[in-house]
Amino acid sequence: MRRRKFLALMGVAGAGLALGKTPAQAAGNVHFEGYPDAKAVLFDATRCIGCRKCEAACNKVNKLPAPAKPFDDLKVLDGERRTTAKAYTVVNRYQPAGAAAPVFRKLQCNHCQEPACASACFVRAFKKNPDGSVTYDASVCVGCRYCMMACPFNVPAYEYDEPLTPRVMKCTMCHPQIESGELTMPGCVGACPKEALVYGKRKDILKIAHARIEAFPGRYVDHVYGESEMGGTNWLYLSGVPFKEIGMREDLGVTSAPELTSGALAVVPMVAAVWPALLGGIWAISKRNGKVADEERKEAVKTAVAANQADNDAKLAKAKEQAEKDKKDSIEREVKKALEEAASAAKEEEGA
Amino acid sequence: MTSETKKTLFTPFNIFAGIVLLIGAYLTVMRFTGGLAAVTNLDDNNPWGIWIGFDLLCGVALAAGGFTTSAAVYIFGMKKYHSAVRPAILTAFLGYALVVFALHYDVGRPWRLPYPIFLQPGTTSLLYEVGLCVFLYLTVLAIEYSVAALEWLGLKKLRSLVHKLTLLLTIFGVVLSTLHQSSLGALYLIAPSKLHPLWYSTYLPIQFFVSAIAVGLSMVIFEGTLSHKPFHHKMDATFLAEHDGVILGFARGASMVLACYLAIKIIALGADNNWKYLVSGWGAWYLFEILGFVALPSLLYAIGSRERNIKLIKWTAALTVFGVVLNRFNVSLVAFNWQLPSAQRYFPSWGEIGVSVFVVVVGILVFRFIVTRMPIFYEHPEYKDAH
Ligand code: SF4
Ligand code: SF4
Ligand code: SF4
């Protein structure tokens, strides 16, 4: 009971913020385990050779514009890149300390189980589909770019050079193409010559990933990246070197995006319900206090005014006459000033 | 009096304003023909720049004088501050209108701004809450402000009708302000991995809310000072007589609010056990912010109001306003994306700064237009006792 009262009070102060760690249900966001038949992709960094075939395939199946440098130009790998409005996926090369050969890592949307982008969008332009993919609907997007602020993996890109119809661009897990039957698996997965990418049900993919670690414990870091990061993702990763060595953040935690904001959202109805009652009460009290003071003051004013009524009238008339001559907009202030002068003069006289 | 108001059109400020308007027009054309890339330094890693960090976050915070003043007068019954209400409401109304105006430059498809409210609300988004509350509050402010406009137009019946709604509107305004001031801070809750831990806190919403009250009170003091010179002849005896009282009272209030804000900042630091970050460059910058622009003004306000030192109070108000602007900049720009290599960090382009200055100048021009015509700094004699 006491706790509840405390929480209500905190809510009043707009402070639920303290409740950042309340269960997600507080805002109506029930913990989501993922759709049962959701698909996932496994990327195995120990198999990737950095050929950029996935990049080329992605460009083709999504009909993206041709890049400045062709996909077989591996010089591109010299610099670290990120996804852009013209490239839903990129492969980067890393040289981890102590590793004999460079390691490659493919980057694209991770299709989070509880996507930050979808939770952040104020027009629900993003959708988590039953097949695990997270897709975007440009027909409602306002272009506020809060989704980009929210994505912990810095994935969505924006058409900054579009003056009136900019879209947010990101990997779709080839959802439209698979849905329409054009593809049976994502374009990038199909194009990989080394089977560094595997597509299947998330449950099965997780089993495969753990089986690989078990079979070759010396080869892999004992962690499936994406199994629980930010509440889990539908793109999973295996690596032979620590993930942070290949540009992946290890400090994201397992709290999903909706859980991060549910506390603040839960406070909204509290403020809306409790504030008016509280403020109304304060108003009632202060009004009553004001009334008492007012009455006392009125009494005093009455006596003073009566004594100097005649004097006031004369001065007022004079001021009015003069004001008439003035321009119209200044009349009001002059009269008022005269009134005040008269009142203070009267007071002075009274005091004298 | 009439000769005073008829000044030459070519004052230094007017010339400056004219130039800014021309630049603004040029940038507007650039933005709507070449896209954001043509005027801004925004990129995929830094999707929000000063049009959000300054125009939105600071704009809304600086306009908090409206709800703090009207709450003090109409709800807490501090009638002696009555003359401060109208300028504060006008500033708030203009402030919010300009925030919405500035957003039209930033978002990709501005005509869709009503979508989240009327077409497909994304209720899980804190930005939705901000949008909805700002929209509703702008409406409330427009109604509150309309009293002055209706007096000017001489529409008595309508005016008294609207005037009767004062209490209701004030309460509604406080609720909405509480919600969106805090939600602006809550916008960043979703990105703990991007905002430096010294600024990221689950208390961000309440920090934004409390600092908004402090800046709201300070803005009333600050802006009263700014308006005093050019619009002195427009101010009636009540306004002038109450002015010092307003300043002293607001200074005392702001001192306490800032102390409370400081406490929340420290609690947040302790709650997340972030003390270790204090001994770093970021820590020094953080301490600079909370000691120089929270603790110091709190102290100076206390001294100023005790010693009735109006001058000190006015300078402190400026310090507080600057401090909150610094805080919003730190959260949205400086400490945001702090882990990115410096080559990928954001710095505003001249075009972005140009648009922000343009928006502010438009605000000042409209403010000047209104206060030289409508009963803002003085009471309309026909409605004198009607308050
Ligand atoms: S990786 Fe980013 S863009 Fe992709 S689903 Fe997750 S939050 Fe959304
Ligand atoms: S940019 Fe579009 S998709 Fe992203 S949050 Fe804004 S409205 Fe939603
Ligand atoms: S899943 Fe499809 S859209 Fe995503 S990276 Fe692969 S090919 Fe591109």
Side-chain angles (χ1 to χ4, degrees), chain A residues 17 82 120 122-124 138 141-142 144-146 148-149 151 154 158 160 163 249 275 283 286 332 336 340, chain B residues 31 36-37 43 45 47-48 74-75 106 108-109 112 120-122 125 129 178 187 193-194 202 236-237 339 381:
Chain A
L17 349 186
R82 61 152 285 161
F122 68 162
V123 277
R124 283 190 278 130
C141 172
V142 183
C144 69
R145 308 184 299 288
Y146 188 37
M148 301 165 68
M149 293 288 287
C151 172
N154 276 340
Y158 187 72
Y160 282 102
R249 295 188 59 166
W275 247 159
W283 170 78
S286 71
E332 296 114 7
K336 189 151 180 270
E340 268 146 9
Chain B
R31 154 67 184 89
L36 286 175
D43 59 35
N45 284 334
W48 282 2
Y74 295 127
I75 296 176
D106 188 78
R109 312 190 201 208
R112 285 185 178 173
Q120 190 163 298
S125 169
E129 200 193 318
T178 310
L187 283 181
S193 60
K194 297 186 184 178
T202 44
D236 69 7
Q339 284 172 322

Side-chain angles (χ1 to χ4, degrees), chain B residues 36-349:
Chain B
L36 286 175
V39 256
T40 71
N41 276 348
L42 298 175
D43 59 35
D44 291 332
N45 284 334
N46 301 288
W48 282 2
I50 56 166
W51 290 353
I52 298 294
F54 180 74
D55 298 14
L56 175 65
L57 296 189
C58 297
V60 168
L62 298 188
F67 91 91
T68 33
T69 313
S70 53
V73 172
Y74 295 127
I75 296 176
F76 292 88
M78 303 180 192
K79 292 222 179 74
K80 57 184 174 181
Y81 302 140
H82 189 265
S83 59
V85 172
R86 278 208 180 164
I89 291 284
L90 174 64
T91 321
F93 173 55
L94 288 180
Y96 278 88
L98 289 173
V99 164
V100 174
F101 173 65
L103 279 180
H104 283 68
Y105 286 80
D106 188 78
V107 303
R109 312 190 201 208
W111 60 92
R112 285 185 178 173
L113 278 171
Y115 277 23
I117 297 167
F118 297 110
L119 187 75
Q120 190 163 298
T123 48
T124 55
S125 169
L126 263 312
L127 193 62
Y128 167 74
E129 200 193 318
V130 171
L132 184 65
C133 290
V134 167
F135 164 71
L136 291 174
Y137 188 47
L138 187 59
T139 315
V140 168
L141 282 170
I143 301 174
E144 286 185 304
Y145 157 74
S146 72
V147 175
L150 292 173
E151 286 176 9
W152 182 55
L153 295 170
L155 300 170
K156 290 192 189 175
K157 272 222 182 91
L158 200 56
R159 182 239 173 240
S160 71
L161 195 76
V162 176
H163 189 73
K164 284 208 184 84
L165 296 173
T166 302
L167 178 68
L168 202 70
L169 289 173
T170 306
I171 292 185
F172 201 39
V174 173
V175 172
L176 292 170
S177 295
T178 310
L179 290 177
H180 71 258
Q181 294 285 1
S182 57
S183 324
L184 283 178
L187 283 181
Y188 291 86
L189 287 180
I190 204 163
S193 60
K194 297 186 184 178
L195 184 57
H196 191 282
L198 282 174
W199 283 273
Y200 184 91
S201 161
T202 44
Y203 294 100
L204 263 175
I206 195 168
Q207 287 173 357
F208 267 54
F209 175 62
V210 175
S211 57
I213 297 177
V215 82
L217 296 171
S218 302
M219 271 307 273
V220 174
I221 300 173
F222 186 58
E223 183 186 273
T225 319
L226 286 185
S227 301
H228 224 270
K229 266 197 196 135
F231 304 120
H232 190 92
H233 59 285
K234 283 286 169 189
M235 297 170 175
D236 69 7
T238 322
F239 185 91
L240 294 174
E242 285 183 8
H243 191 59
D244 282 0
V246 169
I247 289 185
L248 288 173
F250 276 38
R252 208 169 306 129
S255 171
M256 290 192 284
V257 174
L258 281 169
C260 169
Y261 178 47
L262 181 67
I264 296 168
K265 277 282 204 182
I266 294 170
I267 291 170
L269 211 55
D272 296 336
N273 200 9
N274 280 335
W275 306 104
K276 57 183 178 292
Y277 293 104
L278 286 180
V279 284
S280 67
W282 289 106
W285 183 243
Y286 176 84
L287 288 174
F288 174 68
E289 180 196 320
I290 68 161
L291 294 181
F293 298 96
V294 183
L296 182 65
S298 173
L299 189 71
L300 293 180
Y301 265 141
I303 296 172
S305 65
R306 172 170 306 173
E307 294 175 357
R308 309 182 73 83
N309 185 341
I310 302 284
K311 207 166 162 199
L312 177 67
I313 291 176
K314 287 176 177 172
W315 279 108
T316 311
L319 189 70
T320 311
V321 170
F322 186 81
V324 172
V325 171
L326 179 70
N327 172 260
R328 301 306 191 257
F329 272 27
N330 279 342
V331 170
S332 65
L333 305 169
V334 181
F336 193 82
N337 272 340
W338 64 292
Q339 284 172 322
L340 287 185
S342 54
Q344 291 175 26
R345 295 297 309 275
Y346 160 87
F347 194 83
S349 69

Side-chain angles (χ1 to χ4, degrees), chain A residues 219-243:
Chain A
R219 188 172 173 174
Y220 292 105
V221 171
D222 188 13
H223 180 66
V224 180
Y225 193 101
E227 184 165 11
S228 54
E229 271 78 8
M230 289 302 288
T233 62
N234 284 50
W235 207 288
L236 301 156
Y237 300 80
L238 284 177
S239 169
V241 296
F243 287 96

Side-chain angles (χ1 to χ4, degrees), chain A residues 108-112 115-118 126 134 150-156 170:
Chain A
Q108 73 299 301
C109 172
N110 283 331
H111 301 277
C112 307
C117 54
F126 286 98
V134 176
C151 172
F153 304 104
N154 276 340
V155 165
K170 74 166 196 71

